[in-house]
Amino acid sequence: MRILHVTQDRDSHKSIASAAGTLLQVLFTDFAAGGREALARLAARRPDVLLVSLPLPDLDEVEFVRAARQAAPHCQILLVASAGAEDSVIAAIEAGATGCVLGPCDARELVEHAVKLREGGSPLSPFVARKLVDRLHARTRVHATVAAALTARESEVVNLLASGLSYSQIGDRLGVSLNTVGSHIKNAYRKLDVHCATAAVMRAVGLQVLDAASREGETAS
């Protein structure tokens, strides 16, 4: 495997290169002093793992991760950060980074983490893992609250929208006036925080408001 080490600390890179040299799995380690230099090297060097020390001197970590994932989708991204940077790290993981360890961490341990990442693992420091779980739980609670806020009729209208029915067809199906359909849709938009039918359907899919039949109808259409 090939590692591209992104760090401003050349001594740190020498330690990483030395540790990598003791492992048969690692073919070589390359070096970039910043985010832009690393992005420029991605296409030419085709690393398997980006080992990225945060913060970067020239790019926001989320911006960098997104650009790296776009330039080299196959490449795994392992972040190395200091305690206290957990929120930034989590944002970068959500952008596409595949692992994170919090320093201090010795060179051999970092290289071993990179190898595990390449083999399908996802090294995460316990504190970062806990933060991710907490964020997932918070989002689940928000989703449940929003989904519960829709009345049964509003959910039914959104499901019929997802099935491809027009406002007038929905009114015919439910036996209500066009104005009533419009009122239900307006209320659903407000609760889902969207402004059009497509966005309402996508948001409802994310919140698991749509039933299976409606999703199949949407796919078929």
Side-chain angles (χ1 to χ4, degrees):
M1 62 173 280
R2 301 171 295 273
I3 297 174
L4 174 54
H5 187 202
V6 188
T7 179
Q8 299 178 72
D9 186 345
R10 289 186 175 274
D11 289 336
S12 171
H13 175 65
K14 289 178 182 178
S15 297
I16 291 290
S18 177
T22 67
L23 298 176
L24 295 178
Q25 300 99 315
V26 182
L27 296 178
F28 70 83
T29 58
D30 200 2
F31 168 79
R36 289 190 175 87
E37 183 182 352
L39 293 174
R41 287 178 178 270
L42 272 177
R45 304 297 283 175
R46 299 181 59 81
D48 298 294
V49 176
L50 275 173
L51 180 60
V52 186
S53 296
L54 299 179
L56 294 169
D58 54 351
L59 291 177
D60 171 80
E61 53 269 12
V62 172
E63 177 187 2
F64 172 77
V65 168
R66 286 175 178 161
R69 295 294 293 173
Q70 184 174 6
H74 70 283
C75 186
Q76 305 298 309
I77 303 173
L78 178 59
L79 307 175
V80 184
S82 301
E86 292 85 2
D87 288 340
S88 296
V89 164
I90 288 171
I93 290 173
E94 291 176 332
T98 38
C100 172
V101 293
L102 296 181
C105 193
D106 68 44
R108 184 175 179 85
E109 188 177 359
L110 284 176
V111 174
E112 288 174 349
H113 282 315
V115 171
K116 290 177 183 177
L117 189 65
R118 180 69 177 86
E119 293 174 347
S122 184
L124 283 175
S125 292
F127 192 70
V128 173
R130 177 57 186 269
K131 283 271 192 178
L132 283 170
V133 169
D134 289 346
R135 183 169 292 200
L136 177 62
H137 286 171
R139 286 179 177 175
T140 300
R141 288 193 294 270
V142 169
H143 287 180
T145 300
V146 172
L150 291 178
T151 66
R153 182 48 60 92
E154 289 162 359
S155 294
E156 191 173 10
V157 168
V158 173
N159 272 284
L160 292 173
L161 275 176
S163 297
L165 271 63
S166 67
Y167 285 19
S168 61
Q169 289 171 326
I170 292 173
D172 291 342
R173 175 75 65 87
L174 300 179
V176 299
S177 70
L178 195 60
N179 285 340
T180 299
V181 172
S183 179
H184 287 316
I185 289 174
K186 181 178 179 180
N187 289 335
Y189 282 9
R190 175 176 53 81
K191 293 175 181 179
L192 294 171
D193 192 25
V194 297
H195 304 286
C196 68
T198 300
V201 170
M202 295 301 295
R203 178 83 164 131
V205 168
L207 297 174
Q208 298 183 341
V209 171
L210 297 186
D211 59 36
S214 293
R215 288 196 295 270
E216 289 171 2
E218 178 189 305
T219 301
S221 62

